[in-house]
Amino acid sequence: MYNYGWNDHEAPKEPHTTVPSIQAAGGQYSQEWWLGQLHDLQQRLAAVESWQHTADATAEQQTAKARRGGGSSQTDLTRLRDTVVRVSDGVTAMAHRVDHLEDRLRQAEVLLDRLRSAGVRDAIATGEAPSDMHRRHSQIKERYQRLVDQDLRNLARELCPADARQWDQMAGGLPAARARAVSETVQMLLAAQQGAPATAENVQSTLAHRGYATEGAEPRLYKVVDAANGILRDMAAVELPATLLFDADVTTLAEGEYQAYNRQDTGVPGFLVAPAYAVQGEAPENHLKAFVFLAPGEAP
């Protein structure tokens, strides 16, 4: 009798995996569980396919050897062919199981997405949002604060140098001129929250046309443009909506509803430097307050 290099008991057996109902996807069985089941079946299928390939090669070798010898054991060849057929049937059955589990996984993903979306809608309607989304917005708020209060403030010093006397003719002098430069730059960077992102070249060209000293300011311009585009991109990526309130009327803002951009304690709101960052469903006191230039006058 020929030596085939394996015994019947060595042939991989078709696993008897019980696939739970899709109704359990929202509760007992997590998405990770489904992915684990699919990965396990795919590994089993790969192992059986590899074994079948080896068995096919062995069958061809034994058949060729029998022919060269002028005869063969018909019983052995029949046994070999039957084993290969049985394994082939097992591979087909396992492939069907993998396809079935992939369908169930897709259904589970759709169900989980619907549950998450429903949770977001409920959170917005009740004024309570998922904490992870709040944390993401909180991080973006910090970047927005740094952009306006540091990066753009530094840029404005270059756009409105102290030795340029034209700023003396503006109400509020140099501080107001620099705050205006920040306000106009914020409009170009962040007001158009739809469409193509801002570019440093377009912002520089517009600022130069308006009389600002842009020569040598390219490094800071590129920095603020990249930061602003990243803020808008990340705001849009959070499922809980947020808005920059450009349409706010600063004359109606009471003390405590804004932060003074020129860092003084007295005066009245003169103009908006940068808008408030408002998250839908969030209490107004938790919004990042608007940046306002205070004009000389009595405190409101």
Side-chain angles (χ1 to χ4, degrees):
M1 181 175 291
Y2 295 107
N3 178 17
Y4 298 106
W6 43 262
N7 299 318
D8 282 345
H9 68 274
E10 294 176 334
K13 301 299 190 297
E14 180 188 350
H16 299 286
T17 304
T18 302
V19 179
S21 170
I22 185 63
Q23 287 141 356
Q28 181 181 358
Y29 299 99
S30 65
Q31 186 175 14
E32 290 74 15
W33 187 91
W34 284 91
L35 288 172
Q37 292 294 306
L38 177 59
H39 179 69
D40 181 65
L41 275 180
Q42 287 174 332
Q43 285 187 322
R44 290 171 181 267
L45 177 59
V48 173
E49 287 177 337
S50 176
W51 190 91
Q52 182 189 16
H53 177 74
T54 301
D56 288 341
T58 301
E60 292 177 1
Q61 292 173 3
Q62 296 296 345
T63 300
K65 183 187 296 185
R67 288 172 179 167
R68 287 195 302 270
S72 67
S73 171
Q74 188 63 36
T75 301
D76 292 341
L77 288 176
T78 300
R79 178 177 172 226
L80 178 60
R81 293 192 186 98
D82 289 344
T83 302
V84 171
V85 170
R86 186 171 65 255
V87 172
S88 178
D89 291 342
V91 170
T92 301
M94 186 170 292
H96 287 319
R97 286 182 177 275
V98 170
D99 290 340
H100 178 66
L101 187 55
E102 286 178 338
D103 289 339
R104 290 297 185 93
L105 178 60
R106 283 190 289 269
Q107 294 175 39
E109 289 174 341
V110 170
L111 177 59
L112 290 171
D113 287 341
R114 288 176 180 173
L115 291 173
R116 282 192 292 265
S117 298
V120 171
R121 288 193 298 270
D122 290 343
I124 294 174
T126 59
E128 298 179 358
S131 59
D132 62 329
M133 295 183 189
H134 271 299
R135 283 193 294 270
R136 291 169 64 186
H137 275 304
S138 179
Q139 294 168 352
I140 301 172
K141 287 178 188 178
E142 292 177 1
R143 290 159 52 195
Y144 177 55
Q145 174 87 33
R146 185 167 57 250
L147 170 67
V148 176
D149 207 26
Q150 296 181 24
D151 298 336
L152 285 171
R153 192 184 292 274
N154 292 333
L155 174 64
R157 293 191 182 99
E158 296 189 29
L159 298 177
C160 304
D163 58 356
R165 309 315 308 170
Q166 72 264 30
W167 311 121
D168 295 339
Q169 303 173 6
M170 176 182 292
L174 184 60
R178 288 176 172 172
R180 285 285 185 191
V182 172
S183 177
E184 293 177 22
T185 306
V186 167
Q187 286 279 341
M188 285 184 279
L189 294 176
L190 300 170
Q193 297 189 44
Q194 303 292 332
T199 65
E201 292 76 13
N202 289 342
V203 173
Q204 181 179 17
S205 175
T206 302
L207 290 173
H209 180 72
R210 295 177 182 178
Y212 293 105
T214 60
E215 186 175 355
E218 290 89 348
R220 291 195 187 278
L221 275 171
Y222 277 102
K223 180 178 180 180
V224 299
V225 167
D226 287 344
N229 288 338
I231 287 169
L232 291 180
R233 180 181 61 251
D234 292 345
M235 285 177 66
V238 183
E239 291 177 324
L240 185 65
T243 308
L244 298 175
L245 303 179
F246 277 97
D247 57 352
D249 182 0
V250 298
T251 63
T252 65
L253 295 178
E255 188 175 4
E257 295 179 344
Y258 59 83
Q259 48 187 318
Y261 187 75
N262 43 338
R263 297 173 179 170
Q264 64 184 46
D265 297 330
T266 61
V268 295
F271 60 86
L272 180 71
V273 177
Y277 187 117
V279 178
Q280 187 172 346
E282 186 179 64
E285 58 268 22
N286 293 328
H287 295 168
L288 180 63
K289 296 179 176 63
F291 299 84
V292 174
F293 182 82
L294 293 184
E298 296 182 359

